[in-house]
Amino acid sequence: MSRVEQLAPDAAAMKAAQSVAKPGKWTNLGRSERAVWGECAGSGANPYQVRVDLEDTAYKCTCPSRKLPCKHALGLLLMFAGGTKIPATTMPPFVDEWLASRTKRAEAKVARAAAPEKPPDPEAQARRVEKREARIEDGLTQLDAWLADIISQGLAAARSQRPMFWSQMAQRLVDAQAPGLARRVYGLRDLAVSGENWQTRLLSGLARLQLLVDAYRRLDALPPPLAAEVRTLAGWSQAQDALLEQPGVRDRWHVLGQRQTHDERLRTQYSWLAGAQSRRVALILDFAVGTQPLPAVFRTGQVIDAELVYFEGVPPLRALLKQRFETAPSQHALPAPMDVVTLQGQFASLLAANPFLDRWPVVVGPVTTLIESERTQFIDAAGRRIPTARWFRHGWQVEALAGGRQLAVFGLWDGHLLDPVSVEHDGRLFSLAHLGDLPVLSKAA
Amino acid sequence: MSAADSARRWNALTSLATLGTNRAAPSVGQLIADAGAPIPNGPVEPTLLRAAAVSDLWQLAGTRAGAAAPPTADVAPEANERVASENAAWRLARMLNGEHRYLVPEWLRLASRANVVIPPHWLPVALDNLTTAERSSAGAVLGSRALWLTKRNPAWSFTMVSAQPSVERWMNGTLAERSAELTAARRADPALALDWLSRTWSTEPPEARVQFMNVLLNAAGLSGRDEAFLEAALDDKRKDVRLLAAACLCYLPESAHARRNANRLEPLIAMSAARSGLLGKLRARQLELTLPESLDKTALRDGIEPKPPAQRKIGERAWWLVQMVAMMRPSWWCERFDCDVETFLGAVQETDYATDLLLALAEAASRNQDVAWISALARRLVKWSGPQELQPGVHQAFAALLASAPASDREAVLEPILASLDQSQFDLVLLLLDALDVEWGAGSTRRAFELLDKRVRDDSQTYSYARNVLTSWGSHADVTVASAALARTIERCPDKSPWRNALDTLNEMLEFRTAMRRELLT
């Protein structure tokens, strides 16, 4: 049930789905090994034909809703997961055809991947790169002037600027094909209105941006991995096809936690993995535009045997799933947690190698919780405290779970605050989730 | 560079930047010197930002939390409790978030029956969102971890009423806590609670007296031991206290209050003598009513209200009589007139004040939990109120009667009544069952769903209901019986039937409850 909930694009869709998840509304319900389907009466003249491919959780429905999955697909899954009897019958044509076309498309994709690619015209490619470099250079000059202007007018003046002030500069950087820099400029606006001590945060953001501009101008002088990191931060993407050609790291990867973010068009799913043998962490990003579903490949608490390829970075973190193996996974185990001194020491050395690092996935523990005036802190065995992010609302849930005993917390550490994603207590992993507006902690494994 | 130095430099840079170099005009050389790291020479603004970057990173990398003695661990006691499944807890949270919210009490009852507790990590959701009434009935389902938690979060501290009544909390708590403590004490040891109350009574403010008198009225356990205290409270300065005390005294059939009421009633109601012989048996006995002429001070003191409520269509003097009847234990009438319940009720029904008197008798029967009277009155109220002209208050009185019947007897009252109705009286069935806020037994559920099935298939009556018309059926019916019966009805109900939506809504509720049971009980 809770997994169906996670597929819902928003709470309203889930609510609507619950009202649809009644066998009385459905005809021609059926299922096979691979799929479940049915026809649901809607406001139109013909019932909507709804089908769900259970293999990779893909949906199709004839309703006009632009949400994906729509309430009908969710409703169907809710009934399926909720134990409503759905007979295993032969597939009606509307399911059969859809599955067939999906299989065909998947095969075509594999075939395309296997086919030797037309070698790209290296000259044309070089010209494109050159052109983009010139644009970025132009963008950097504008950004330089803009930053200098803020400092000469003063942060207080910048703070009272309208949102346009920030978005215009960001847009100019998008036009200059430096979307990474644009994102940072957008972020500055939030820092300027971030409440008490905003000056510190805004100056720190501006200073880091200046450092990035300086670094980009000196790419050749930087060690190659850091140069790659800086280029990525500016907005160059690393070619995934080429990346997948390289040998990866095969390991038993433990899914430590997941999180989704939405902006207007794009939904991003973060999945953090830890390798049992390699002792490395990896971040897999999945994107969905508009109404596309996010792939449900990973689930918190799962252990998968897979080969991952890392993007270049200092240290490498983001990775791609190259291949997944069907061997039985072993029992999960969180990476060994570290105490607060180790955490701070490790972060300092990461910063020394990459001064642009803004957060890093860590497992901290054993710690106990301390809740004072609604803010939660974690305390390690030596009594060292770390505070949690302002938006962390699960303090009491964690406290209730641990009952004053020790636990380990997986989260993102930014040098000041821990932003928890999941917690482990008594050998079990719990993920921080929301049910509507209620913060909840749910057992993942 | 020391930590204090770096903090000082960072603060200086922040002040400069906030003000703006236009106004502050720092020197580039000084900034470079302050940065404490090689940064390129350049215009003042980027130099300031570079110095800030160095200073910021320096501080960030250098931050070390100080060691301190960890706070003394206040660890929750190990408890050997069975924990409800994760799916069951998810469902509880969904309900607390608004989905089928009214089924929360049932979840708690089932969990209690299954002898499981809410998993600890779900407790904050429960403690934040359960109502006070639900929390106090949840009791053991919250488990020992909840008790530990409530001591740590002040927002939850009022949650628990300790099993052992504490005189400490009674003496020093807030009014709400004291009421809760008195209720607990009253349940555990009524005499102890009375003793507590008598000691402080004379110094309690009026609001507290009203609240505590309410506790005595609602916590059960009233007995002859309480009479002297209650009798004294009839002279309280606050009217609410006086009326509540009178209401309490009505639970004591041997009290002076009851004797005074009987003395008042004796001259007002008489019954014709039973005649012997065949003819006598055919002629029903009759009641002769005399309305009271006036109310004396004693009657007022005993809680008779001189004015009827504004919405009640009744004369003043009849209102006085009705109140006296409502105060009297029902069995008194049979003793007095040497008759059975049906004979007496038959005679009441022939009087000019039949409705008001039956409702008054229903109130008395509910209070005394007298099953013979409850059953007879409930049947009579139903039979007597035709579907077209339901007397106001009748179905509420019916519901109150059934709610007051001990759970073990309720089914014996309700099922025959439902069995006596047919689908043409479906509106009445709806009204009665809607008013009823208690669970139906298997037999009643079967009868109700038979009526529903017949009504759905009866095309001669038009459909004039909202789609949530069967909501109370979904929450009160016996799940197993109802699910099976409803499946048959839905199967036979054509898609175009106006009943379709209501039946689907009902079905969804029953499925939800079935799933709840499956998750908790298996």
Side-chain angles (χ1 to χ4, degrees):
Chain A
M1 281 296 191
S2 58
R3 288 196 59 203
V4 178
E5 200 126 357
Q6 283 165 9
L7 294 172
D10 51 44
M14 195 60 203
K15 204 157 171 76
Q18 270 144 10
S19 67
V20 173
K22 296 166 194 166
K25 292 198 186 277
W26 294 78
T27 48
N28 291 335
L29 277 174
R31 65 176 166 83
S32 68
E33 293 267 288
R34 177 173 170 190
V36 52
W37 61 85
E39 291 181 303
C40 181
S43 46
N46 298 317
Y48 301 129
Q49 298 179 325
V50 192
R51 55 228 116 154
V52 178
D53 188 340
L54 299 169
E55 244 165 39
D56 55 353
T57 331
Y59 331 88
K60 186 165 171 69
C61 176
T62 50
C63 79
S65 167
R66 292 192 301 130
K67 282 185 181 169
L68 208 80
C70 68
K71 64 177 178 181
H72 305 105
L74 279 175
L76 185 59
L77 280 172
L78 273 179
M79 287 196 294
F80 185 66
T84 303
K85 279 183 224 89
I86 297 179
T89 56
T90 49
M91 271 180 220
F94 77 89
V95 183
D96 206 12
E97 283 159 18
W98 179 63
L99 287 181
S101 81
R102 278 183 57 79
T103 310
K104 213 148 118 203
R105 253 178 293 161
E107 280 165 1
K109 204 170 161 189
V110 171
R112 247 196 332 275
E117 255 183 64
K118 191 173 68 165
D121 176 356
E123 263 178 51
Q125 207 172 21
R127 270 199 305 280
R128 275 200 301 278
V129 168
E130 204 174 309
K131 216 164 165 186
R132 181 169 178 186
E133 287 290 11
R135 286 219 182 108
I136 292 181
E137 184 51 46
D138 196 38
L140 290 181
T141 312
Q142 293 185 45
L143 184 55
D144 257 339
W146 185 79
L147 285 171
D149 200 41
I150 289 180
I151 294 302
S152 63
Q153 302 290 322
L155 301 184
R159 185 176 191 241
S160 57
Q161 294 280 4
R162 291 192 304 173
M164 275 267 273
F165 172 77
W166 313 90
S167 57
Q168 266 174 351
M169 185 64 230
Q171 191 53 49
R172 288 212 290 274
L173 289 168
V174 170
D175 296 343
Q177 292 185 289
L181 297 173
R183 253 197 308 282
R184 291 206 164 218
V185 169
Y186 271 123
L188 291 175
R189 145 120 184 118
D190 295 336
L191 298 179
V193 292
S194 63
E196 207 187 339
N197 277 332
W198 62 272
Q199 300 95 329
T200 295
R201 280 186 289 273
L202 180 58
L203 180 57
S204 159
L206 290 165
R208 270 330 155 86
L209 190 53
Q210 180 72 56
L211 201 61
L212 188 54
V213 172
D214 291 349
Y216 197 86
R217 292 219 167 98
R218 300 176 60 239
L219 273 181
D220 296 342
L222 299 179
L226 187 58
E229 174 88 36
V230 169
R231 278 171 61 83
T232 308
L233 288 173
W236 289 91
S237 47
Q238 300 179 28
Q240 303 203 357
D241 292 346
L243 209 59
L244 285 174
E245 299 290 306
Q246 294 172 16
V249 183
R250 180 172 174 182
D251 203 340
R252 286 174 197 280
W253 295 96
H254 176 196
V255 185
L256 297 175
Q258 279 187 303
R259 184 175 283 176
Q260 291 186 5
T261 60
H262 307 231
D263 62 22
E264 285 158 38
R265 286 185 323 110
L266 192 69
R267 284 181 298 140
T268 311
Q269 176 171 270
Y270 299 75
S271 309
W272 289 276
L273 282 60
Q277 272 95 50
S278 64
R279 309 210 164 274
R280 293 177 72 170
V281 277
L283 166 64
I284 305 244
L285 295 183
D286 290 297
F287 303 98
V289 178
T291 59
Q292 278 176 359
L294 281 161
V297 180
F298 304 112
R299 188 161 41 84
T300 301
Q302 212 181 11
V303 184
I304 55 166
D305 180 4
E307 184 180 358
L308 304 186
V309 201
Y310 280 93
F311 286 87
E312 265 189 287
V314 185
L317 177 64
R318 197 181 154 198
L320 287 177
L321 176 62
K322 183 172 178 180
Q323 199 182 349
R324 194 169 163 168
F325 303 92
E326 289 301 328
T327 49
S330 61
Q331 191 60 32
H332 86 272
L334 270 193
M338 50 187 151
D339 63 10
V340 171
V341 169
T342 315
L343 167 75
Q344 289 175 326
Q346 191 204 57
F347 195 71
S349 40
L350 290 173
L351 271 183
N354 174 6
F356 305 105
L357 195 72
D358 46 20
R359 51 185 198 166
W360 188 252
V362 294
V363 180
V364 190
V367 290
T368 53
T369 49
L370 176 70
I371 304 175
E372 277 173 345
S373 46
E374 299 298 304
R375 288 293 296 275
T376 304
Q377 300 183 63
F378 291 109
I379 310 178
D380 71 5
R384 291 189 166 85
R385 298 177 179 198
I386 47 171
T388 51
R390 279 189 308 282
W391 52 86
F392 176 65
R393 288 171 62 209
H394 292 72
W396 282 109
Q397 275 75 7
V398 175
E399 175 77 334
L401 172 71
R405 294 184 176 78
Q406 293 178 329
L407 71 162
V409 185
F410 166 70
L412 306 174
W413 173 247
D414 72 356
H416 298 290
L417 303 166
L418 185 68
D419 178 8
V421 177
S422 54
V423 298
E424 191 200 41
H425 178 64
D426 215 7
R428 298 201 168 270
L429 191 65
F430 296 79
S431 55
L432 275 57
H434 285 92
L435 178 65
D437 276 340
L438 298 180
V440 298
L441 203 57
S442 84
K443 195 194 284 178
Chain B
M1 186 159 48
S2 76
D5 264 353
S6 82
R8 188 186 49 73
R9 281 176 194 178
W10 172 253
N11 288 339
L13 288 168
T14 315
S15 321
L16 277 177
T18 308
L19 213 54
T21 49
N22 278 355
R23 262 165 254 143
S27 97
V28 174
Q30 188 57 47
L31 285 173
I32 292 176
D34 267 355
I39 56 174
N41 198 347
V44 65
E45 288 84 14
T47 308
L48 191 153
L49 281 175
R50 285 168 194 138
V54 172
S55 174
D56 185 26
L57 283 164
W58 182 269
Q59 289 209 84
L60 188 57
T63 306
R64 292 292 179 275
T72 44
D74 173 10
V75 173
E78 284 288 358
N80 195 16
E81 294 163 325
R82 276 186 51 218
V83 171
S85 73
E86 190 70 4
N87 281 344
W90 258 106
R91 189 173 297 273
L92 174 64
R94 277 165 62 192
M95 291 190 282
L96 292 171
N97 193 37
E99 193 185 332
H100 296 301
R101 179 64 180 75
Y102 53 88
L103 290 178
V104 168
E106 184 175 7
W107 192 99
L108 295 171
R109 273 199 306 279
L110 289 170
S112 162
R113 203 208 298 172
N115 203 14
V116 292
V117 300
I118 297 174
H121 56 289
W122 292 98
L123 281 173
V125 175
L127 292 171
D128 275 341
N129 294 285
L130 287 173
T131 64
T132 318
E134 286 163 350
R135 265 196 310 256
S136 44
S137 70
V141 174
L142 290 170
S144 61
R145 183 64 56 89
L147 199 61
W148 178 83
L149 267 179
T150 52
K151 292 194 194 112
R152 305 172 74 86
N153 187 342
W156 297 329
S157 65
F158 58 89
T159 305
M160 300 308 240
V161 173
S162 49
Q164 271 301 310
S166 126
V167 70
E168 161 72 23
R169 287 228 311 197
W170 159 250
M171 294 303 284
N172 303 321
T174 62
L175 184 54
E177 283 170 352
R178 297 185 65 206
S179 286
E181 213 56 49
L182 185 65
T183 307
R186 190 73 185 166
R187 292 214 179 99
D189 181 356
L192 171 74
L194 181 68
D195 181 52
W196 282 2
L197 199 51
S198 312
R199 282 168 196 272
T200 61
W201 188 252
S202 60
T203 56
E204 300 288 359
E207 301 75 42
R209 296 204 304 276
V210 172
Q211 191 120 338
F212 298 152
M213 199 54 93
N214 249 317
V215 169
L216 291 189
L217 182 60
N218 294 314
L222 282 163
S223 75
R225 255 190 310 229
D226 304 314
E227 187 182 349
F229 176 80
L230 293 169
E231 184 73 31
L234 288 178
D235 297 316
D236 198 277
K237 284 205 191 82
R238 177 69 70 107
K239 185 184 173 195
D240 291 345
V241 177
R242 296 197 300 271
L243 289 179
L244 285 165
C248 288
L249 281 165
C250 291
Y251 281 87
L252 311 178
E254 307 297 324
S255 68
H257 179 269
R259 278 196 301 280
R260 293 196 295 272
N261 194 40
N263 289 340
R264 274 192 290 274
L265 274 170
E266 261 165 17
L268 299 178
I269 302 187
M271 198 178 202
S272 63
R275 302 194 192 177
S276 54
L278 192 62
L279 209 62
K281 289 212 168 98
L282 285 173
R283 169 131 4 126
R285 297 176 67 182
Q286 287 177 335
L287 278 182
E288 284 155 38
L289 303 183
T290 316
L291 297 183
E293 288 298 327
S294 62
L295 284 184
D296 57 14
K297 274 195 180 143
T298 324
L300 290 170
R301 179 174 178 271
D302 281 346
I304 307 289
E305 295 252 40
K307 297 273 180 221
Q311 69 279 14
R312 191 98 182 230
K313 291 192 185 110
I314 187 171
E316 261 182 27
R317 290 165 61 210
W319 169 238
W320 301 341
L321 180 69
V322 162
Q323 290 179 86
M324 294 170 193
V325 171
M327 282 182 174
M328 181 50 73
R329 77 189 150 91
S331 51
W332 185 74
W333 303 103
C334 292
E335 290 159 20
R336 182 157 173 242
F337 298 128
D338 190 24
C339 64
D340 59 19
V341 179
E342 289 299 336
T343 309
F344 180 73
L345 289 180
V348 167
Q349 214 164 326
E350 295 304 314
T351 67
D352 294 342
Y353 304 101
T355 309
D356 292 305
L357 287 177
L358 281 179
L359 293 180
L361 288 166
E363 188 186 328
S366 302
R367 184 192 302 122
N368 282 54
Q369 306 194 351
D370 188 324
V371 178
W373 279 82
I374 287 172
S375 172
L377 277 161
R379 253 181 293 130
R380 209 165 270 271
L381 285 174
V382 170
K383 204 186 293 172
W384 185 39
S385 44
Q388 286 79 23
E389 32 159 1
L390 262 181
Q391 304 279 358
V394 167
H395 53 275
Q396 284 98 328
F398 171 81
L401 272 174
L402 276 163
S404 71
S408 50
D409 296 320
R410 195 177 295 139
E411 188 63 4
V413 179
L414 182 58
E415 195 195 338
I417 289 176
L418 289 174
S420 72
L421 297 168
D422 69 39
Q423 79 266 25
S424 67
Q425 292 162 293
F426 194 72
D427 286 4
L428 176 64
V429 174
L430 281 177
L431 208 54
L432 295 174
L433 291 177
D434 260 353
L436 207 57
D437 196 19
V438 288
E439 301 226 343
W440 316 344
S444 305
T445 303
R446 194 168 302 116
R447 297 286 181 195
F449 277 78
E450 276 165 20
L451 285 168
L452 174 65
D453 187 64
K454 286 184 189 148
R455 176 64 188 84
V456 168
R457 287 185 291 138
D458 183 353
D459 294 332
S460 66
Q461 298 186 64
T462 51
Y463 180 90
S464 56
Y465 309 105
R467 72 179 284 171
N468 62 356
V469 57
L470 300 171
T471 308
S472 71
W473 293 47
S475 48
H476 294 127
D478 179 282
V479 180
T480 320
V481 174
S483 301
L486 186 63
R488 280 194 299 278
T489 305
I490 287 183
E491 211 168 279
R492 289 189 289 193
C493 174
D495 280 347
K496 290 197 184 74
S497 163
W499 281 97
R500 194 76 213 201
N501 271 336
L503 293 180
D504 284 345
T505 308
L506 176 57
N507 191 37
E508 193 253 339
M509 289 173 73
L510 290 172
E511 280 183 352
F512 194 93
R513 288 177 68 201
T514 307
M516 194 159 99
R517 253 149 237 272
R518 192 178 51 231
E519 287 158 358
L520 279 168
L521 300 179
T522 57

